[in-house]
Amino acid sequence: MNLVKELSMFAPLTPRVSEILSWYKGENLGVLNNLARLLNSGSLAGTGKLVILPVDQGFEHGPVRSFGPNPAAFDPRYHFELAMESGCNAYAAPFGQLAASAGDFIGRIPVIVKINNSDSLFSNAAPISAVTCSIKDCVKLGATAVGFTIYPGSNARKEMYEEVRELGEEARSYGLPMIVWSYARGEQISKEGETAIDVIAYSAHIAAQLGAHVVKVKPPTAHIEQAAAKKAYEQAGISVATLADRVRNVVQSTFNGRRVVIFSGGESKGDEQLLSEVKEIHAGGGFGSIMGRNAFQRSRADGLKLLRGVISTFGGN
Amino acid sequence: MNLVKELSMFAPLTPRVSEILSWYKGENLGVLNNLARLLNSGSLAGTGKLVILPVDQGFEHGPVRSFGPNPAAFDPRYHFELAMESGCNAYAAPFGQLAASAGDFIGRIPVIVKINNSDSLFSNAAPISAVTCSIKDCVKLGATAVGFTIYPGSNARKEMYEEVRELGEEARSYGLPMIVWSYARGEQISKEGETAIDVIAYSAHIAAQLGAHVVKVKPPTAHIEQAAAKKAYEQAGISVATLADRVRNVVQSTFNGRRVVIFSGGESKGDEQLLSEVKEIHAGGGFGSIMGRNAFQRSRADGLKLLRGVISTFGGN
Amino acid sequence: MNLVKELSMFAPLTPRVSEILSWYKGENLGVLNNLARLLNSGSLAGTGKLVILPVDQGFEHGPVRSFGPNPAAFDPRYHFELAMESGCNAYAAPFGQLAASAGDFIGRIPVIVKINNSDSLFSNAAPISAVTCSIKDCVKLGATAVGFTIYPGSNARKEMYEEVRELGEEARSYGLPMIVWSYARGEQISKEGETAIDVIAYSAHIAAQLGAHVVKVKPPTAHIEQAAAKKAYEQAGISVATLADRVRNVVQSTFNGRRVVIFSGGESKGDEQLLSEVKEIHAGGGFGSIMGRNAFQRSRADGLKLLRGVISTFGGN
Amino acid sequence: MNLVKELSMFAPLTPRVSEILSWYKGENLGVLNNLARLLNSGSLAGTGKLVILPVDQGFEHGPVRSFGPNPAAFDPRYHFELAMESGCNAYAAPFGQLAASAGDFIGRIPVIVKINNSDSLFSNAAPISAVTCSIKDCVKLGATAVGFTIYPGSNARKEMYEEVRELGEEARSYGLPMIVWSYARGEQISKEGETAIDVIAYSAHIAAQLGAHVVKVKPPTAHIEQAAAKKAYEQAGISVATLADRVRNVVQSTFNGRRVVIFSGGESKGDEQLLSEVKEIHAGGGFGSIMGRNAFQRSRADGLKLLRGVISTFGGN
Amino acid sequence: MNLVKELSMFAPLTPRVSEILSWYKGENLGVLNNLARLLNSGSLAGTGKLVILPVDQGFEHGPVRSFGPNPAAFDPRYHFELAMESGCNAYAAPFGQLAASAGDFIGRIPVIVKINNSDSLFSNAAPISAVTCSIKDCVKLGATAVGFTIYPGSNARKEMYEEVRELGEEARSYGLPMIVWSYARGEQISKEGETAIDVIAYSAHIAAQLGAHVVKVKPPTAHIEQAAAKKAYEQAGISVATLADRVRNVVQSTFNGRRVVIFSGGESKGDEQLLSEVKEIHAGGGFGSIMGRNAFQRSRADGLKLLRGVISTFGGN
């Protein structure tokens, strides 16, 4: 069933994984171990690239919008299987969904608990997610890392950043790395601005500033939202013409590549378009993809094919 | 007095109850024991179905609106008797009401403490219940489970979800399962939308994501509230024509049936209409009913008759 | 498989059980519920009598001395099955043994965790047991009560009584009744004195004074250990001629019967001798028996026959 | 460098590993994950057998007595390499030794922190180890399990058992399984008695009663130390003639095989003698070996050869 | 005033200091910074060698025995000046002494607070020091590290090791490295044995196992105290003929040199003898010296000359 070509057990870290871990000096060995576990599992093991299957859309957009297109995906075990068969590095989901399935997959793929979540039954002018499980709950679930969402641009940013900081500190004390989903939105950001290159680069930077070990953003467009930023991009001669250019700028903006930045697939699209985006992410030095809807809203065969295409683009096999 | 056909004491779990418990791997044995206790009491013992008598309407709507129609119901002992005589699995009520009656029913029917509650003397645009007893209070009452209400769609959802999460974690640490009443309401949801199929399915999903072991929602109507959801239902070809269809969709939305979902009776109705609803809930794969007003606002004889009808519909005797 | 004639579910407490519970006014309802659960399970349900299968001999005397005579008993699941099939009220064992088996008997017979234990690899002049699990561990195991051993007469009595008192207080706060095994021993008590009527009566009294809800002692002999006591028995004209007389005196000594006192079977004996002892315990007003070695060191068939004989002597069926 | 034949990544648990995990129902998924990690690493991955390299002799016997015979072993990194190259499941050592080396082996072999230790500069009539690191220290080291030593038979057993119990509860709350080294010694046990079959079986039983997930004892001799035990062995007709017989009795004494029991190699011996012992351990149903001195006091080549021989005896490759 | 040739501020770490810090992977950057501060101050800055002036003799032996020979040393400021003028890396003293002087030397030489101490007004068969200040006190004093004394061989070792472990964990959490003075003594160690090579090597090993970043022992003699050790030294062919040989063995015994081990000067001696000892310590790979009485019981000029001689022997200037 498993087509993944694997890293030899007890093999030394690859030079690339060692290099990546060297960016996290000062973290305890528990955090480093778990970062290594993420980087050493699945088809991309050892390459320093990460492809993660995230399934929090049930919570974020509602179950039918999320799983209706592929009803097998209503079952929380489906996603564990999809992530493992495709050779992803890890599977990410909210607490309840994991509580209803992780016991059937003991000792297998690394699990990331998405510990704060929003729903679409209320749309807040000052968006902020609710913390829906404790760090101790994650430890007891056997998690390898924890994930948080922040909304830079929200009027609630102070509460949100402080929450993430505090939970992140607790997580690190248990050896759990923190992955931050950074999605700009708020009253002063236009819809188009949410994926503008300046805003995405800035959002990734903020996540890293809050202590994220891994940062997740959307693929940026060539739009530049803020006038002051526009001037700066022009003066610096930073090209934002291709997605690869823009990914390069986001990676640069995240401590010049000393933090792992991965990119979402965004709204559902055709395979070709997605894989062409992923090629540009790879070309721009992106560390990987996090692909949910595009993976689990297809049939199992098509979802597997897509994820394997993505993984293969990043050098997995 | 007791017409309940009983499960043999010390009998092995039925295959169905064993299957249900297998969805909760990783919970401590205290939680599993209490889940088994709920599933193994009353006329439905061993069937995997649950009928609960909930009486929090005194708090929620005021005593006279609640108990005026059947003054015997002003006495908190009335409900214990009604629940036991009819063969319900459990009785649920707020702290004070139990404090004033549970001492007269030691060692009998399982009790669920409803630990947060709202009243109708103030109507909040951002609804949120008050926590009216501690988890330790529940332990000292001899509770078998705790119940919370959440209002997905409320502007207060962050505070509310976090409260439930934290109390739920504490409850589990004492071996108490958590039952979440999930009632969407709020500024951005129309009155009709509160029982719309998309909203109900979403509300059940959120409760399960917060770690609920048992979820309680209202029977959904065929209305679809959110435009994006409407499109998703249509594209997925999910039928919402009959109540059974809709119940099926709610169960599917709650981790594909890997969490126990039960349905309320809603506003008072005639027996026939109620039982016909219950039949559809059963046909759609619902795990049971939670029926308050319709039971205790009738005369004792009529209330018993109705509850027994409901229980019998789910396969009890 | 189960021959137990059962109490009707949700049936009111019997007058005798109600009377017993009336001795514990002021305890929280959780404690009373669990006392009722003990009194309402098994073949003796509702009679106010208790027969418990205790299996801590592996810890106390070593595994081969305990289970060698009936090797099936090495398996910790054996004892659950024996207790249920015979119709005991409850099964008592140390933490580890329950941790290795209780998960296979969710929702069935009430479990008592024996939370302090001694072994026979060291024999202490001032005997005192080690606390081998926490009260929280018991809660998480789904326990119905906790058990402690005290050694009145030990030079370590201060530490021991205080330990029991403190753990008992914590147990009660979680709704767990405390059962105290009270075995006099120590430098100033002769071997014969350990089961002397005066010493047993005194030991039972001390256990009750420490807050025990249920007290367990050995069947007393007619020997009177302490000179002052001898005089007192004579002056009061208290007969200690028959075991029934002596049991009556022990019950009287335990708040005139306002605490549940049960008697062990002691070292292994023939069926006839045991049942004749049990008859006297019953005749003297003893509340029941706790029978370990005599039950599990026989073949399964013989053990069942014996336990059913004991239960039947106390009025069970 | 690595000759280990490996279990496929993301492969389902083998039936044997699933069976073993089924003995630990009620533990959180973190504990189960880490147990699975121990059972799924190294050459024995998936077989349900465990071979561990323990190196606490520097602390216990002094550095020169421990590492003088093979000076390469003074370097704490040596042992990581030896454990990995030979294909052990895990490496166990005290805190300081791991703190000085684990950072060079991030993400590789599972590490067990031996959290209490004794030294030989003082010999105590009532032996008890000192706790030399906290559970939080273990979490921060990225440990997969924690190890404790107990000395049943010591006059300090009460303090010792209670210490282990408390630290074990904390460890489990962080998802760390507990491994107990159980070595009887004390005033009332003869030198020969320390490895007597009755004493070893009893010591293993006590460790399991204290909640150990894995128990480690010395290979028992045919000597029976306690008179009462001698009688019990004879009456039960339990053969102790061969090491295989005795191992079978130890496994039986540890909840009839429902806890993992492994055996040390003891004092340094020739390869042939050791492997013949290991064959008997395997034949008797032992779960594996823990081999320290015999492995690291040989040259690297000889140590590897021996460990591979041991692993191969248990079915590894 | 200061003749010390200094390391250029902001200069990169020397390769040797980088190498030393690489042994402490997993420590937080606060600990690493403070270790670097110790290694980068004074005349030995950057060499990886450490010479420390310790002045706890007032507490340990009484003020007049300590400072009578050079009354200027009664003034706590004297030692700051001596340490700085001679070019030591750091100055170590008990809390009160620092509290009375450190405020006059703000921002100057690194300070080590010796947080446990013994006095000579009572001599204990089971020696153990009293903790005479808190870790927070050290933080508030601006300390660069904390120091503890342990007495391996003492009957109080359990309490002592656990105290050090716990305080060490707290110290590290504030970024303070821990330096352990390890002096074997106790009922089972002869006077001569306290400085025996086997005992010193073992004591250094124990300190490192307890998590010491820097270990301080006395220069070992060629005596071997324990019979088992004697055999081990002979079999391993470890030479203990010269002090250099013995220092080499101590360094080897402390994780093969992966922990910093420094040596005291011991009782007062002549300059020549002292410097010749220091030469051997250097030749054997010792990391430095800690010299108290021999420095401050001479006149200021003689003390300075001696310390500069020591520092120069280790390569300082």
Side-chain angles (χ1 to χ4, degrees), chain D residues 45-271:
Chain D
T47 61
K49 299 292 179 180
L50 268 182
V51 172
I52 295 172
L53 177 71
V55 188
D56 59 351
Q57 290 80 356
F59 202 130
E60 302 277 333
H61 306 149
V64 173
R65 276 177 64 196
S66 301
F67 308 126
N70 174 27
F74 279 108
D75 190 319
R77 293 170 296 182
Y78 179 82
H79 308 288
F80 268 98
E81 289 161 4
L82 184 61
M84 289 191 295
E85 282 187 46
S86 59
C88 283
N89 300 65
Y91 164 53
F95 174 70
Q97 189 167 317
L98 291 169
S101 52
D104 292 321
F105 301 94
I106 296 292
R108 298 177 68 185
I109 193 170
V111 159
I112 298 161
V113 188
K114 183 82 187 328
I115 69 171
N116 68 357
N117 294 280
S118 293
D119 62 72
S120 311
L121 293 173
F122 185 80
S123 166
N124 203 331
I128 180 168
S129 294
V131 178
T132 59
C133 75
S134 72
I135 301 295
K136 269 283 205 165
D137 280 334
C138 302
V139 171
K140 288 183 181 163
L141 263 178
T144 296
V146 296
F148 310 88
T149 295
I150 58 170
Y151 301 118
S154 168
N155 193 0
R157 68 182 161 187
K158 181 175 165 60
E159 181 183 356
M160 191 161 46
Y161 294 171
E162 294 180 354
E163 209 163 70
V164 164
R165 184 216 69 64
E166 191 176 339
L167 289 165
E169 185 179 10
E170 189 187 350
R172 293 198 315 269
S173 84
Y174 296 121
L176 295 177
M178 58 190 281
I179 301 179
V180 175
W181 275 238
S182 192
Y183 294 154
R185 67 182 63 161
E187 299 164 47
Q188 298 169 7
I189 297 180
S190 71
K191 195 71 205 159
E192 199 187 1
E194 292 180 1
T195 50
I197 173 61
D198 60 325
V199 169
I200 293 281
Y202 200 163
S203 300
H205 186 82
I206 288 170
Q209 289 285 23
L210 294 174
H213 299 99
V214 176
V215 175
K216 188 256 173 170
V217 290
K218 294 186 183 167
T221 66
H223 175 61
I224 298 182
E225 173 81 355
Q226 297 191 304
K230 195 167 184 64
K231 215 170 107 190
Y233 273 87
E234 284 165 9
Q235 285 177 348
I238 294 177
S239 167
V240 298
T242 68
L243 179 54
D245 288 339
R246 299 188 293 268
V247 164
R248 198 171 295 115
N249 179 240
V250 173
V251 169
Q252 187 182 39
S253 295
T254 316
F255 301 153
N256 212 28
R258 290 172 67 84
R259 284 295 175 265
V260 171
V261 196
I262 57 179
F263 294 82
S264 57
E267 294 187 16
S268 36
K269 296 164 193 160
D271 276 35

Side-chain angles (χ1 to χ4, degrees), chain C residues 63-85:
Chain C
V64 173
R65 277 176 64 195
S66 301
F67 309 127
N70 174 26
F74 280 107
D75 191 319
R77 294 170 297 182
Y78 178 83
H79 308 289
F80 268 98
E81 289 161 4
L82 184 62
M84 291 191 295
E85 281 188 47

Side-chain angles (χ1 to χ4, degrees), chain B:
Chain B
M1 184 212 339
N2 186 347
L3 307 182
V4 175
K5 182 166 153 258
E6 303 175 43
L7 198 67
S8 184
M9 187 172 290
F10 299 164
L13 296 182
T14 62
R16 179 57 177 162
V17 170
S18 291
E19 185 191 6
I20 291 174
L21 294 184
S22 80
W23 304 333
Y24 301 90
K25 288 189 188 85
E27 296 291 357
N28 63 51
L29 301 182
V31 167
L32 296 178
N33 256 316
N34 277 324
L35 279 171
R37 191 166 290 153
L38 287 178
L39 292 165
N40 276 345
S41 79
S43 295
L44 289 163
T47 62
K49 301 290 179 180
L50 269 182
V51 172
I52 295 173
L53 177 71
V55 189
D56 58 352
Q57 291 80 358
F59 203 130
E60 303 276 333
H61 307 148
V64 177
R65 273 176 67 196
S66 301
F67 308 127
N70 173 27
F74 279 105
D75 189 323
R77 294 171 298 182
Y78 178 83
H79 307 289
F80 266 98
E81 290 161 2
L82 184 62
M84 289 190 295
E85 282 188 46
S86 59
C88 283
N89 300 63
Y91 165 53
F95 174 70
Q97 189 167 318
L98 291 169
S101 53
D104 291 321
F105 301 95
I106 297 293
R108 298 177 68 185
I109 193 170
V111 160
I112 298 160
V113 188
K114 183 82 189 327
I115 69 170
N116 68 358
N117 294 280
S118 292
D119 62 70
S120 310
L121 295 173
F122 184 82
S123 166
N124 203 332
I128 179 168
S129 294
V131 177
T132 60
C133 77
S134 72
I135 301 295
K136 268 283 204 166
D137 281 335
C138 302
V139 172
K140 288 182 180 163
L141 263 177
T144 296
V146 296
F148 309 89
T149 296
I150 58 169
Y151 301 118
S154 167
N155 194 359
R157 68 182 161 184
K158 181 175 165 58
E159 181 182 356
M160 191 161 46
Y161 293 172
E162 294 179 356
E163 211 163 68
V164 165
R165 183 215 72 63
E166 191 176 338
L167 290 164
E169 185 179 11
E170 189 186 350
R172 293 197 315 269
S173 83
Y174 297 124
L176 294 177
M178 57 189 282
I179 302 179
V180 175
W181 275 240
S182 192
Y183 294 155
R185 69 183 60 162
E187 300 165 46
Q188 297 168 7
I189 297 179
S190 70
K191 195 69 204 161
E192 199 187 2
E194 291 179 2
T195 51
I197 173 60
D198 60 325
V199 170
I200 293 282
Y202 200 165
S203 301
H205 186 82
I206 288 169
Q209 288 284 23
L210 294 173
H213 299 99
V214 176
V215 175
K216 188 258 173 167
V217 291
K218 295 186 182 169
T221 65
H223 174 61
I224 298 182
E225 173 82 352
Q226 296 191 305
K230 197 168 183 61
K231 215 169 109 191
Y233 273 86
E234 284 166 6
Q235 284 177 348
I238 295 176
S239 167
V240 298
T242 68
L243 179 54
D245 288 340
R246 298 189 295 269
V247 164
R248 197 170 296 115
N249 179 239
V250 173
V251 169
Q252 185 184 42
S253 296
T254 316
F255 302 153
N256 213 29
R258 290 172 68 84
R259 284 296 174 264
V260 171
V261 197
I262 58 179
F263 294 83
S264 58
E267 295 187 15
S268 36
K269 299 163 191 162
D271 276 33
E272 223 164 299
Q273 194 189 345
L274 268 166
L275 290 176
S276 119
E277 265 185 32
V278 167
K279 253 171 232 153
E280 296 226 46
I281 291 167
H282 185 53
F287 288 73
S289 285
I290 182 158
M291 196 155 298
R293 271 174 293 172
N294 282 297
F296 67 74
Q297 291 183 346
R298 280 162 168 78
S299 72
R300 186 175 191 123
D302 288 354
L304 275 173
K305 186 167 150 249
L306 174 65
L307 283 172
R308 285 187 181 141
V310 171
I311 285 166
S312 150
T313 305
F314 281 111
N317 38 99

Side-chain angles (χ1 to χ4, degrees), chain A residues 95-117:
Chain A
F95 174 70
Q97 189 165 317
L98 293 170
S101 52
D104 292 320
F105 301 94
I106 296 292
R108 298 178 68 184
I109 193 170
V111 159
I112 298 161
V113 188
K114 182 83 188 326
I115 69 171
N116 68 357
N117 294 280

Side-chain angles (χ1 to χ4, degrees), chain A residues 12-67:
Chain A
L13 297 181
T14 60
R16 178 58 177 162
V17 169
S18 292
E19 185 190 6
I20 291 174
L21 294 184
S22 79
W23 304 335
Y24 301 91
K25 289 191 187 85
E27 296 292 358
N28 63 51
L29 301 182
V31 167
L32 296 179
N33 256 318
N34 277 324
L35 279 172
R37 191 166 290 153
L38 287 179
L39 292 166
N40 276 345
S41 79
S43 295
L44 289 162
T47 61
K49 300 292 179 179
L50 269 183
V51 172
I52 295 172
L53 178 71
V55 189
D56 58 351
Q57 291 80 358
F59 203 131
E60 302 277 333
H61 307 148
V64 173
R65 276 176 65 195
S66 301
F67 308 127

